[in-house]
Amino acid sequence: MTDDLTLRPIRPEDEPFLFGLYVITWEEGLESFSWEGADKADEASLLRLNFKAHQHHYATISPKAEQMIILLDGRPAGSLIVIRARKEIRLAEIVLVPEYRNRGIGGALIEELAGEAGKSGLPLRLHVAKFNRAIRLYRRLGFVLIGDTGTHFFMGRGPKRP
């Protein structure tokens, strides 16, 4: 990857971009889901409501979450949320705009977090929706399954046993 990859904290004006990422992610996951009786307006309202709940969660329940915009050559390419706790580093979320996927960006950012976790002697952990294709990437990067919530897998990667 030869592009200039940087991170910056999210700002209020990033909300439309973040909502767009949220919609893309859930549309991919809901391809096989039936919205019986729902029209496009209902879908949009539900997505907006869920997005607001998602934002509220990180603002109130996980206020120490580091929420970043991923920039590639200065342009927004995705978002990253990391929670650094006493017993682990949690990759809470990483989302890339489709045209920036499969370019090594996600892997590079995750490897950087894994290096930080290793230096700290902490595991790197994450939850991933079972429909998410990124599971293949996580496995390739050394993450192992440590739990199953029914809708999500809980995965971890050393240095300590997850």
Side-chain angles (χ1 to χ4, degrees), residues 8 14 17 69-72 74-78 97 100:
R8 70 158 169 79
D14 293 321
F17 173 74
I69 294 292
I70 301 166
L71 299 170
L72 195 61
R75 293 182 309 275
V97 174
Y100 292 115

Side-chain angles (χ1 to χ4, degrees), residues 17-134:
F17 173 74
L18 294 170
F19 180 66
L21 282 177
Y22 187 83
V23 169
I24 289 166
T25 301
W26 283 103
E27 283 177 346
E28 291 170 350
L30 296 175
E31 288 171 350
S32 62
F33 182 78
S34 172
W35 293 87
E36 283 186 36
D39 60 22
K40 289 291 180 189
D42 292 336
E43 291 177 28
S45 294
L46 183 58
L47 283 170
R48 176 63 69 182
L49 183 65
N50 284 338
F51 172 73
K52 290 292 187 184
H54 178 264
Q55 297 296 93
H56 178 76
H57 169 78
Y58 286 111
T60 59
I61 297 172
S62 300
K64 293 183 181 181
E66 183 179 12
Q67 300 182 61
M68 309 296 285
I69 294 292
I70 301 166
L71 299 170
L72 195 61
D73 293 330
R75 293 182 309 275
S79 67
L80 175 72
I81 302 175
V82 177
I83 301 169
R84 290 171 177 84
R86 192 172 50 82
K87 293 184 178 184
E88 70 179 10
I89 294 178
R90 175 73 57 101
L91 174 57
E93 183 174 286
I94 185 168
V95 182
L96 292 168
V97 174
E99 64 258 29
Y100 292 115
R101 295 177 186 168
N102 301 310
R103 292 175 60 177
I105 298 166
L109 291 168
I110 294 167
E111 287 293 356
E112 188 175 313
L113 280 175
E116 176 188 337
K119 287 178 185 171
S120 301
L122 298 171
L124 177 58
R125 295 183 175 154
L126 60 87
H127 278 98
V128 59
K130 288 183 173 183
F131 64 77
N132 194 322
R133 291 176 284 188

